[in-house]
Amino acid sequence: MKPLLVYLHGLNSSSQSLKAIQTTEYVKKSALDLELWIPDLPIFPSDIVQCLQNRVTPSINQRDIYIMGSSLGGFLGTWLQSWLIEQGHEQKLRLVLVNPAVVPHERFDDYLGPQKNFHTGEEWVMTEGYVEQLVQLEVNKLPAPQDTLLLVQTGDETLDYRQAVHKYQQCRAIVQEGGSHGFDDFEKMLPEIFDFLTSV
């Protein structure tokens, strides 16, 4: 089976985010022999977990699995990598994090209340229950730092990049000066990202 690449978008984003589109275009242009899955994630973390588990469980020990996560998707990707290892996945399992959220549940008190998806316009309400579900997904000890690549830009206006640098200090990291939370010029990083994902 060809490798499965799971791309996880951030809070109030979707499969139509710029980085998701750039990733899709790069895979097509480069004719990469892999299956790309960019889901429009459910809102609540418990539903996201169910969605991801349903999709990736058949791939455990059947093929290589690559994960890319942006912002909250990075937090979720860290959980997914850890969960797959717990399930006994022994084939290649690589994780790329782009300006990832490290402890989002510590910040979301400021976000409680009405929310709106940037792309779909869907409205929803962030509750304390949502935040509590995120707490359950935190990974305190990274199970495979050697298989994780961190990309951060110091100009991230939403998250403190230093939290990610500290959390993932055992991982390979690319720290770029300036930039933004959206990760400026992301498409220029895609060749290096895919070299990391697919290397032996």
Side-chain angles (χ1 to χ4, degrees), residues 77-104:
T78 300
W79 167 81
L80 181 59
Q81 181 194 50
S82 179
W83 181 79
L84 283 165
I85 292 172
E86 289 174 357
Q87 303 312 302
H89 183 74
E90 295 179 349
Q91 291 186 228
K92 191 188 298 180
L93 178 59
R94 297 276 166 82
L95 172 65
V96 174
L97 306 164
V98 184
N99 281 340
V102 176
V103 280

Side-chain angles (χ1 to χ4, degrees), residues 105-125:
H105 41 279
E106 293 182 0
R107 296 177 49 86
F108 280 178
D109 283 349
D110 296 335
Y111 290 80
L112 293 177
Q115 300 286 323
K116 188 173 183 177
N117 189 287
F118 305 133
H119 302 281
T120 66
E122 180 181 5
E123 297 181 355
W124 60 284
V125 177

Side-chain angles (χ1 to χ4, degrees), residues 1 40 43 65 88 96 102 112 126 145 148:
M1 297 175 70
D40 286 312
I43 291 173
I65 300 176
V96 174
V102 176
L112 293 177
M126 183 181 290
T148 302

Side-chain angles (χ1 to χ4, degrees), residues 43 52 54 68 74:
I43 291 173
L52 297 178
N54 288 344
M68 291 176 62

Side-chain angles (χ1 to χ4, degrees), residues 2 24-34:
K2 61 179 63 177
T24 300
E25 291 176 346
Y26 183 84
V27 169
K28 290 180 180 177
K29 179 186 70 175
S30 305
L32 297 177
D33 188 26
L34 54 81

